[in-house]
Amino acid sequence: MCGIFGIVVKEEQVLGGTLLEASRRLAYRGYDSVGCAVIDRAGRIDLRKDAGKIEEVNDRLNFADMAGVRGMAQLRWATFGAPSQPNAQPHLDSDGDLVGAHNGNIVNHVALREQFIASGFTVRGTNDGESCVHAVERYVDQGDSVVSSIRKAARDLEGDYAFVIARAGAESPDEALYAVKQGSGLVVGIGDGFCCVSSDLPSILPLTNQVVRVRDGEMVTLHHDRFEIRRVEDGAVVDRESELFTEGMDAAEKGGYEHFMLKEIHEQPKAAEDLLHWLSASPHVDPFVSSIEAARHIYFVGCGTSYNACVLGAALFNRLAMKPAVPVLAPVFRETFAHTLSSEDVVVLVSQSGETKDVLNALNSARGSGATILGILNVLGSTLMHASDHYLLLACGYEISVPATKTFLNQTLLFYYLADRLRRTGPGERWDDVPSRIEETIRRTDGFSQEVAALLKPFHEMYYLGYGLTLGMAMEGALKLKEVSYAHCEGMLSAEFKHGPLSAVYDGYPVLFITAPDDAKMMINHVNEVTCRGGRAIIVGREDDLLRKSAHDYLPLPAVSHELSAILAAVPLQLISYYMSVSKGHNPDFPRNLSKTLTVD
Ligand code: AGP
């Protein structure tokens, strides 16, 4: 969801290739416009930008030959202003000696834009990133230094954002690049003869693994040989050491798979192993569990896939820990629950990225209530991580593909692990076996999943039904199918189907049931309600004779516990979506209109 990158080098050189490569590395976040700017030693700005995909725009504008000592690149995903050349970033100020680009949202942009126009500034587009540049221009024009102007501008800008800016012009030579972080990600990279800054690590790691994390409310000044972090509020310089990032970039490569999505599905056994290892060794687990144990009310809050994990997590808590937890869609949280929160309550915010704006809004609505804020996230250093009283990591490494796969499986495993620790009934899970069970599920269901994908492909709408623990799984399977195949699929409770949607069934109409062992008897009724009306029942679940006899197609899962069986169903559902997407000629890694990290309202 938008991304910025900037670099300062010692000697004048062709920077276009570096900017282009950085843009490609940011592309997984989703975008519809791309732009680059470089400043040469004489202070001239070369700005090229347009709406479109990186390669198309590059074919037209040839970023690769842009040369200078400072450069920046931006990928934009439209929120304020249509995808167009003037709205693409970076932006210039009125007289063209400031150039900058942002990521995030400036929520008071419309009011600011009116002020800038009334002051006679040259405002070229309707995008909020342009407001960042004019906000700095306002103070530079009054004679403030660039650092002071940026600090003052940051106080005028409302919202969650990060921006990068540079001053050019022969009259006031400046060799630095500046960046501000206020709510969106920002990381600095330190290399031999250069410093760079980016929204996230994948665009920095090919250049250097010496990194510095910038925090909210801070700005950074980059020179080719040094950096300086200071607080926006009072200008105080912050002493922060760089750190060596040791996880290799191979994590961001496809490793022989055609798509990241398929690679990430196959990485699930390893991701589960890493999660279980992290949980067994981490000092974060006990305080997290104790907070939940002591709570009066527990809320599991997330969006999209993370919300579906919350639905399954709440069912696991009810079943094993005898602790009721309420799964809540993040944008619903404030109005429905936040006003009644107290210090006895716990809000568990679940987000792969840790940057989803709807989730951060829910978090902000819980602040001040005294409730304990717990985070479950995959991205270390994310806003959610810093804002939580305690957090747990999903330990999945990079997830590049827009559809969440391994992070979802680990979210559900993490909920199961927590419920298992608080378990009041039954034997505990055989956790050591879990990674190999996931491996076995991939092996056993891959071929069947291809067959089911072929069977479903001609249908433009269908249902996935679950019951008990598999309700959240049915919702997730349906979301995944919609996301990458563009077919409509509704995930819902199988017991509810007869209360209305059953009328959709006709001869051959496909309904996919996801069942866990203890619910097989109940599910047989729901399956028969569909098949006796001519519907085609496809069942995903542990082997069961009666269920098999009721179904047209059966996708068997390994013989594991009721709880693990519900979780393992994620694997064939992911594979069905993947194969359907590819067979329709779509790119499952980057579904149209979607973005990996949704940092907007
Ligand atoms: C998942 O496949 C989707 N891309 C989407 O629903 C996602 O789960 C949602 O936007 C929440 O993201 P988060 O986990 O990073 O908060």
Side-chain angles (χ1 to χ4, degrees):
M1 174 77 39
C2 297
I4 50 176
F5 175 85
I7 188 163
V8 194
V9 295
K10 188 175 175 187
E11 306 292 346
E12 180 137 330
Q13 58 191 260
V14 174
L15 286 177
T18 306
L19 298 178
L20 200 50
E21 188 52 28
S23 307
R24 290 181 183 124
R25 299 257 175 205
L26 289 166
Y28 75 92
R29 298 162 68 94
Y31 72 100
D32 44 44
S33 311
V34 56
C36 296
V38 298
I39 305 172
D40 66 14
R41 212 174 267 299
R44 286 175 301 232
I45 298 176
D46 179 359
L47 171 62
R48 307 180 193 186
K49 61 180 188 172
D50 209 346
K53 291 291 167 198
I54 297 171
E55 307 308 335
E56 294 159 30
V57 178
N58 183 42
D59 283 349
R60 272 181 277 129
L61 303 181
N62 193 20
F63 296 125
D65 71 1
M66 297 173 81
V69 282
R70 288 175 284 167
M72 64 182 72
Q74 202 267 6
L75 293 185
R76 168 169 189 253
W77 189 81
T79 307
F80 287 105
S84 65
Q85 200 278 343
N87 286 334
Q89 304 200 46
H91 296 287
L92 295 173
D93 72 337
S94 304
D95 50 11
D97 62 0
L98 284 171
V99 60
H102 96 315
N103 166 32
N105 282 164
I106 307 298
V107 293
N108 60 337
H109 147 72
V110 173
L112 285 172
R113 188 168 180 272
E114 281 168 10
Q115 287 172 22
F116 299 140
I117 291 170
S119 304
F121 287 11
T122 306
V123 178
R124 300 174 180 86
T126 52
N127 166 245
D128 53 337
E130 190 174 348
S131 286
C132 297
V133 181
H134 293 306
V136 177
E137 172 184 11
R138 172 153 64 184
Y139 297 105
V140 169
D141 283 359
Q142 290 168 16
D144 280 71
S145 68
V146 182
V147 168
S148 160
S149 301
I150 291 172
R151 286 183 43 226
K152 288 181 179 173
R155 285 185 230 142
D156 295 343
L157 300 167
E158 292 171 21
D160 292 315
Y161 62 86
F163 74 84
V164 58
I165 191 160
R167 187 177 191 188
E171 286 166 20
S172 48
D174 184 352
E175 294 182 342
L177 197 72
Y178 307 88
V180 175
K181 172 167 162 52
Q182 187 53 61
S184 295
L186 198 70
V187 190
V188 168
I190 315 291
D192 188 12
F194 71 89
C195 281
C196 58
V197 65
S198 177
S199 297
D200 63 17
L201 282 170
S203 53
I204 288 188
L205 291 180
L207 303 172
T208 177
N209 56 2
Q210 199 74 41
V211 300
V212 184
R213 294 179 192 274
V214 186
R215 297 185 186 151
D216 282 342
E218 292 179 344
M219 67 170 288
V220 57
T221 304
L222 301 175
H223 295 269
H224 71 81
D225 56 354
R226 66 189 187 282
F227 69 95
E228 186 175 65
I229 296 179
R230 59 178 78 231
R231 287 203 300 257
V232 167
E233 197 184 345
D234 56 10
V237 173
V238 177
D239 194 16
R240 180 143 333 127
E241 295 290 310
S242 62
E243 54 187 273
L244 200 62
F245 187 88
T246 47
E247 196 176 329
M249 253 326 270
D250 58 336
E253 307 294 342
K254 285 189 192 145
Y257 291 94
E258 199 184 338
H259 297 99
F260 284 113
M261 183 176 175
L262 191 59
K263 174 173 180 267
E264 286 159 6
I265 291 171
H266 282 263
E267 281 170 351
Q268 291 180 124
K270 175 73 169 61
E273 193 180 311
D274 290 346
L275 172 70
L276 295 171
H277 183 257
W278 189 86
L279 290 170
S280 67
S282 170
H284 295 270
V285 181
D286 286 346
F288 195 103
V289 172
S290 306
S291 304
I292 291 182
E293 215 167 3
R296 181 185 64 147
H297 294 138
I298 306 166
Y299 301 96
F300 292 164
V301 182
C303 293
T305 289
S306 296
Y307 169 71
N308 295 334
C310 292
V311 173
L312 176 47
L316 286 164
F317 265 64
N318 177 55
R319 181 181 167 94
L320 301 179
M322 311 249 177
K323 280 224 156 261
V326 186
V328 192
L329 277 167
V332 170
F333 186 73
R334 191 182 63 164
E335 286 315 317
T336 314
F337 298 103
H339 301 309
T340 57
L341 285 176
S342 84
S343 57
E344 293 172 280
D345 300 331
V346 160
V347 183
V348 184
L349 296 143
V350 185
S351 172
Q352 175 280 131
S353 60
E355 301 289 350
T356 299
K357 185 73 190 327
D358 289 323
V359 174
L360 299 182
N361 289 347
L363 187 154
N364 289 332
S365 73
R367 269 193 223 276
S369 66
T372 305
I373 305 290
L374 302 180
I376 293 180
L377 48 104
N378 192 45
V379 178
L380 263 177
S382 60
T383 304
L384 178 58
M385 184 185 116
H386 288 301
S388 302
D389 294 313
H390 307 289
Y391 69 88
L392 294 180
L393 259 194
L394 294 168
C396 292
Y398 285 123
E399 187 178 70
I400 302 287
S401 183
V402 169
T405 52
K406 57 181 176 171
T407 55
F408 172 73
L409 196 76
N410 272 12
Q411 285 168 344
T412 59
L413 284 175
L414 178 48
F415 274 127
Y416 182 24
Y417 179 91
L418 296 172
D420 201 37
R421 271 199 49 168
L422 295 167
R423 178 191 280 271
R424 298 271 186 85
T425 170
E429 183 55 73
R430 297 157 61 113
W431 288 102
D432 288 349
D433 293 348
V434 168
S436 60
R437 291 306 201 176
I438 301 171
E439 182 84 63
E440 183 188 346
T441 310
I442 297 174
R443 221 178 29 249
R444 285 180 64 164
T445 61
D446 187 69
F448 284 119
S449 300
Q450 293 190 47
E451 288 169 22
V452 172
L455 187 159
L456 296 178
K457 188 180 165 191
F459 295 90
H460 300 298
E461 55 95 17
M462 63 205 82
Y463 283 90
Y464 277 14
L465 305 182
Y467 185 84
L469 289 187
T470 59
L471 169 61
M473 195 52 73
M475 290 160 60
E476 171 56 13
L479 172 61
K480 207 93 305 166
L481 196 84
K482 283 184 278 214
E483 192 177 9
V484 300
S485 80
Y486 311 157
H488 181 71
C489 181
E490 188 171 338
M492 63 178 288
L493 194 68
S494 57
E496 268 290 294
F497 198 59
K498 59 183 175 291
H499 293 288
L502 187 58
S503 64
V505 171
Y506 54 81
D507 264 356
Y509 183 85
V511 181
L512 188 141
F513 293 84
I514 302 109
T515 181
D518 294 359
D519 297 323
K521 283 203 177 72
M522 175 64 85
M523 198 55 115
I524 284 169
N525 298 315
H526 304 154
V527 171
N528 281 302
E529 284 159 9
V530 168
T531 52
C532 76
R533 289 169 175 85
R536 178 163 189 158
I538 304 149
I539 295 185
V540 176
R542 199 172 82 178
E543 195 64 67
D544 181 290
D545 274 356
L546 282 176
L547 268 178
R548 188 175 270 283
K549 281 184 193 135
S550 312
H552 294 86
D553 311 277
Y554 206 88
L555 233 152
L557 298 173
V560 293
S561 66
H562 176 72
E563 293 81 7
L564 189 58
S565 182
I567 290 172
L568 292 181
V571 170
L573 299 181
Q574 293 163 349
L575 288 167
I576 291 168
S577 302
Y578 172 77
Y579 288 121
M580 193 155 155
S581 174
V582 172
S583 73
K584 284 180 155 187
H586 305 318
N587 180 352
D589 287 340
F590 301 106
R592 69 182 178 211
N593 304 335
L594 299 184
S595 168
K596 182 75 179 164
T597 309
L598 282 154
T599 54
V600 294
D601 289 305

